Amino acid sequence: MYAQMVKSEGMKSLEEMSPEERAFQERVDRGEKIEPKEWMPEGYRKTLIRQIGQHAHSEIVGQLPEGNWITRAPTLERKAILLAKVQDEAGHGLYLYSAAETLGVSRDELFEKLHSGAMKYSSIFNYPTLTWADMGAVGWLVDGAAIMNQVPLQRTSYGPYSRAMIRICKEESFHQRQGYAIMMKMAQGTPEQKEMAQDALNRFWYPSLMMFGPSDKDSVHSAQSMAWKIKMNTNDELRQKFVDETVPQAEYLGLTVPDETLTWNEARGHYDFAEPDWAEFFEVIKGNGPCNEERLGARRKAWDKGAWFRDGLTAYAEKAAARRAASNVAAE
Amino acid sequence: MTKKEWPLWEIFIRGQHGLNHRHVGSLHAPDAEMAIKNARDVYTRRKEGVSIWVVPSSAITASAPSEKGPLFDPAESKVYRHPTFFDIPDEVGHM
């Protein structure tokens, strides 16, 4: 759910499907994994490229709000931990780009689509990280929300995507716990530190709820993606699960979730909670969030300014290969 | 803007001494040496390995999914290749 509002191709009934499509759907229904060289509907391939690509972009852009605090971490240990976390995000991006590449798109093509704005990344990373407490809130809430979605995606129908998710989930729990550990420290600290922790929760609560995407009744692409098992739960299911798990964690911290309507609903066995401001969500998606320009600008700058380095390594590799070839000839 | 993309490499990691190298994923790198360095950062951040192999993805030849039947089905009827096919009386003891 680092992938939001991924456009899916049209949904067909079993009767409307070609024999190939029907055989494919039946394999998915049986829980078989689809591998790169096997036949798949064009819509499945395209939707997966969009979804995995968006997920990969989110991991990479997601490094920026946290990278902001590496040089200003309060202790050397916290700096080393944050550095390791941000490095993990780079790794997660690479696993996912590799998975997308098995579908016949290259990583550089995906980068170009990110840089031109043709592909999106998660709305959450367009919010600023203003204080150290935000490192806690991001790990606890943002990575926590990501886990809600990524754990079921380990069972997705596409083999390379599933394997990337398994690897990511192993590492993600470290991220959430390190975030919560920061929140605990600050919530138990001086009144000013506790206030910072509360402020971070206030600012990240609703953007975290938005990560799951709009309500299912407005989500036009869910049905086909769920039939293909590239989306495992509805947006509302995951959002509810996130709220149910997170509220007691906030209570333990002694912090208040910024939602006056939040109440435990005994009959439903779930919390009732307020929806985020969806108008704000659509503005952020459109590019009008507080940090859209800064984030995309940073990615473009890194890519453009790294060109000489990528080209240099390529030139070196070519020269070294030519030298090896020449010395082989001389030795014959 | 770089037009030439770095080639793709398949990465194999030996998890522990005595185990096979196992395919863990792929990555881009300009040459084999850099592929090993990148693989170390991408696939062994938590001591997942003691040795790395890198192979250009273009050097891998894979069996076609459509050949799955002819390749693997013949083994299905040869259950006698498994030790449990043979009943050995209990009196004989462990074998």
Side-chain angles (χ1 to χ4, degrees):
Chain A
M1 160 276 330
Y2 274 0
Q4 294 157 322
M5 303 184 67
V6 174
K7 189 171 159 293
S8 183
E9 305 294 320
M11 173 102 177
K12 286 184 194 169
S13 69
L14 274 180
E15 296 76 48
E16 294 169 314
M17 289 178 187
S18 68
E20 267 174 325
E21 287 171 331
R22 195 174 314 143
F24 176 85
Q25 186 60 50
E26 283 163 359
R27 286 190 63 198
V28 170
D29 292 343
R30 280 197 300 273
E32 280 181 38
K33 293 279 183 258
I34 309 302
E35 295 297 339
K37 293 178 85 185
E38 295 169 343
W39 186 89
M40 60 186 80
E42 196 50 22
Y44 177 84
R45 198 181 66 81
K46 282 189 180 159
T47 307
L48 267 177
I49 289 176
R50 280 196 284 262
Q51 178 173 331
I52 302 174
Q54 197 185 110
H55 195 157
H57 295 328
S58 298
E59 300 283 354
I60 297 301
V61 176
Q63 293 179 100
L64 297 170
E66 292 183 292
N68 187 33
W69 282 91
I70 290 174
T71 55
R72 283 171 282 168
T75 68
L76 193 55
E77 186 190 49
R78 291 198 180 277
K79 177 175 175 155
I81 292 170
L82 186 59
L83 202 54
K85 196 208 165 210
V86 173
Q87 193 189 11
D88 271 357
E89 306 296 2
H92 295 179
L94 292 179
Y95 306 154
L96 286 160
Y97 284 126
S98 292
E101 282 187 298
T102 63
L103 292 157
V105 63
S106 84
R107 190 174 73 187
D108 288 10
E109 282 172 57
L110 291 171
F111 281 159
E112 273 169 30
K113 285 190 172 161
L114 169 69
H115 298 154
S116 72
M119 282 182 88
K120 305 283 183 208
Y121 54 89
S122 177
S123 57
I124 190 74
F125 302 117
N126 291 314
Y127 290 87
T129 48
L130 302 177
T131 73
W132 173 253
D134 289 8
M135 295 302 94
V138 167
W140 172 38
L141 301 173
V142 175
D143 290 280
I147 288 171
M148 289 288 151
N149 185 57
Q150 289 174 167
V151 166
L153 270 179
Q154 293 177 106
R155 293 180 282 110
T156 184
S157 61
Y158 189 55
Y161 192 24
S162 158
R163 292 190 282 276
M165 278 300 133
I166 290 169
R167 192 172 280 281
I168 287 173
C169 283
K170 267 190 204 162
E171 300 176 348
E172 201 77 67
S173 139
F174 146 56
H175 296 179
Q176 193 187 13
R177 293 172 74 136
Q178 69 88 31
Y180 196 70
I182 292 174
M183 292 305 271
M184 281 197 295
K185 194 80 180 172
M186 298 204 68
Q188 291 158 8
T190 63
E192 289 83 0
Q193 285 170 328
K194 186 169 180 183
E195 204 179 310
M196 270 168 90
Q198 180 64 54
D199 172 60
L201 172 58
N202 292 349
R203 283 181 290 108
F204 276 94
W205 176 254
Y206 287 106
S208 298
L209 295 187
M210 290 177 197
M211 287 177 68
F212 298 92
S215 175
D216 298 313
K217 49 186 192 297
D218 308 320
S219 183
V220 283
H221 312 300
S222 287
Q224 177 63 80
S225 290
M226 290 183 80
W228 278 333
K229 292 193 188 163
I230 58 182
K231 183 181 171 99
M232 309 302 284
N233 303 85
T234 68
N235 297 346
D236 288 331
E237 272 167 21
L238 291 172
R239 190 169 12 250
Q240 181 72 61
K241 191 160 186 275
F242 174 74
V243 172
D244 289 348
E245 280 189 24
T246 308
V247 170
Q249 294 165 357
E251 280 167 5
Y252 179 85
L253 294 172
L255 300 179
T256 310
V257 173
D259 176 357
E260 285 171 9
T261 68
L262 187 81
T263 40
W264 176 253
N265 184 325
E266 193 66 52
R268 287 204 310 132
H270 293 291
Y271 283 95
D272 291 335
F273 59 95
E275 291 277 314
D277 177 356
W278 290 113
E280 176 182 319
F281 170 77
F282 287 110
E283 277 305 305
V284 174
I285 288 277
K286 261 192 268 170
N288 302 325
C291 299
N292 294 58
E293 246 170 77
E294 187 186 331
R295 301 293 186 236
L296 212 47
R299 285 315 310 158
R300 286 198 195 110
K301 185 176 153 202
W303 181 249
D304 292 344
K305 293 212 163 176
W308 69 271
F309 179 74
R310 294 191 300 276
D311 291 344
L313 285 180
T314 302
Y316 173 81
E318 281 168 356
K319 275 191 185 171
R323 259 201 310 276
R324 269 197 305 276
S327 69
N328 285 346
V329 170
E332 273 166 14
Chain B
M1 179 71 63
T2 314
K3 280 294 158 225
K4 196 178 277 179
E5 295 188 22
W6 286 351
L8 196 63
W9 301 77
E10 298 304 320
I11 312 302
F12 299 80
I13 307 267
R14 187 197 295 286
Q16 286 172 42
H17 291 292
L19 295 185
N20 290 320
H21 282 77
R22 201 165 146 249
H23 183 245
V24 293
S26 50
L27 53 75
H28 287 275
D31 57 23
E33 198 188 339
M34 283 303 296
I36 286 184
K37 290 197 165 90
N38 290 353
R40 176 241 187 212
D41 286 342
V42 178
Y43 292 107
T44 66
R45 289 194 301 282
R46 289 175 176 77
K47 288 180 72 72
E48 286 94 339
V50 294
S51 163
I52 299 171
W53 286 351
V54 298
V55 179
S57 303
S58 57
I60 303 256
T61 308
S63 62
S66 56
E67 286 168 17
K68 208 167 109 194
L71 282 177
F72 306 114
D73 286 354
E76 217 167 279
S77 56
K78 298 175 181 58
V79 284
Y80 44 79
R81 284 179 168 157
H82 295 281
T84 47
F85 177 77
F86 305 95
D87 282 329
I88 304 291
D90 287 347
E91 301 91 280
V92 180
H94 176 72
M95 185 180 286

